[in-house]
Amino acid sequence: MDTTKPPGSSHPPAGTNRPHTGRRRNEAAHQAILDAALDLLAHGDGAPVSIDAIARAAGIGKQTVYRWWPSKGALLLDALTHRAAQDVADPDTGALPADLLAFVTSTFDAAQHPGTAPALRTLVREAARDPHLADLMRAYTASRRAALHDLLDRGRSRGELAPDTDLDLMVDQIYGLFWYRFILECAPLDRTTARRLVRALLPTTPPAAG
């Protein structure tokens, strides 16, 4: 008997490969988990965020979460780092003033993001009494410091900073101001502040932000 499917059939003939969508589904699930983790931190009223809660919010099985992350801390660190990579510019235009201004401005802007700021404040608050979360915060801040240090080092290698410039001190000055104002909410983290900070740190005046 002829089993060939007639023209227009909704099913492909036997042996025809179907389009593979697993990678696309995995990427969507991965992003859903990261978004759910930050959203629960931002709107959880200070309650501990569990893997179970993150999986439910993402519509993903708990086993899938554990297959990709060994612990809740690893997941939260990945979520924050991923969001920072999306929100904070890491330009390499060949001009340190413009690059640094873009980095600082986008860092300040990201701190105002409704999906990031509450989550980050929750982690800062909880890290004061949870050693595991304190380690998480140290890992997160170290990754952001490294990104800024690399940007400054590129400028130094081009001769835009003196060879003996203390890059770690510059990083401290930038993130010191950031965390002081972010945690205490005592002064703005706006583009005017970003321009003034970059102007104070560099021997040249940065261009105005757009």
Side-chain angles (χ1 to χ4, degrees):
M1 183 174 67
D2 184 4
T3 58
T4 303
K5 298 294 181 182
S9 169
S10 60
H11 301 287
T16 300
N17 291 328
R18 296 175 182 274
H20 179 66
T21 59
R23 180 175 177 81
R24 183 175 300 172
R25 285 198 297 268
N26 284 346
E27 290 173 351
H30 187 273
Q31 188 62 54
I33 293 168
L34 296 179
D35 290 343
L38 289 181
D39 187 64
L40 287 172
L41 273 177
H43 305 105
D45 299 323
V49 176
S50 67
I51 290 289
D52 282 342
I54 293 170
R56 284 196 303 271
I60 304 296
K62 183 171 65 172
Q63 291 75 16
T64 299
V65 179
Y66 278 117
R67 188 164 65 245
W68 291 338
W69 294 278
S71 67
K72 181 180 72 173
L75 168 54
L76 296 179
L77 175 59
D78 197 11
L80 283 171
T81 303
H82 182 75
R83 179 62 61 83
Q86 290 180 318
D87 293 346
V88 178
D90 185 19
D92 187 5
T93 65
L96 180 58
D99 288 351
L100 184 58
L101 181 61
F103 186 99
V104 174
T105 299
S106 58
T107 296
F108 289 2
D109 286 348
Q112 324 300 323
H113 193 288
T116 303
L120 199 50
R121 284 198 171 91
T122 297
L123 282 178
V124 170
R125 183 174 61 250
E126 295 299 315
R129 54 179 179 268
D130 185 331
H132 178 66
L133 288 182
D135 288 341
L136 166 66
M137 283 302 301
R138 278 191 287 271
Y140 172 72
T141 55
S143 72
R144 302 315 307 151
R145 287 177 60 88
L148 177 55
H149 190 282
D150 288 347
L151 184 151
L152 294 170
D153 191 46
R154 290 196 297 268
R156 184 171 62 179
S157 68
R158 292 191 298 260
E160 296 177 277
L161 294 172
D164 61 348
T165 298
D166 188 338
L167 300 187
D168 288 327
L169 180 59
M170 290 184 71
V171 172
D172 285 342
Q173 289 172 302
I174 292 168
Y175 274 118
L177 181 144
F178 169 77
W179 285 110
Y180 182 81
R181 294 193 177 193
F182 179 78
I183 293 172
L184 297 183
E185 299 183 75
C186 58
L189 285 169
D190 55 18
R191 297 190 173 201
T192 297
T193 302
R195 286 195 297 271
R196 289 175 177 172
L197 177 59
V198 173
R199 187 180 297 120
L201 291 173
L202 296 182
T204 56
T205 303

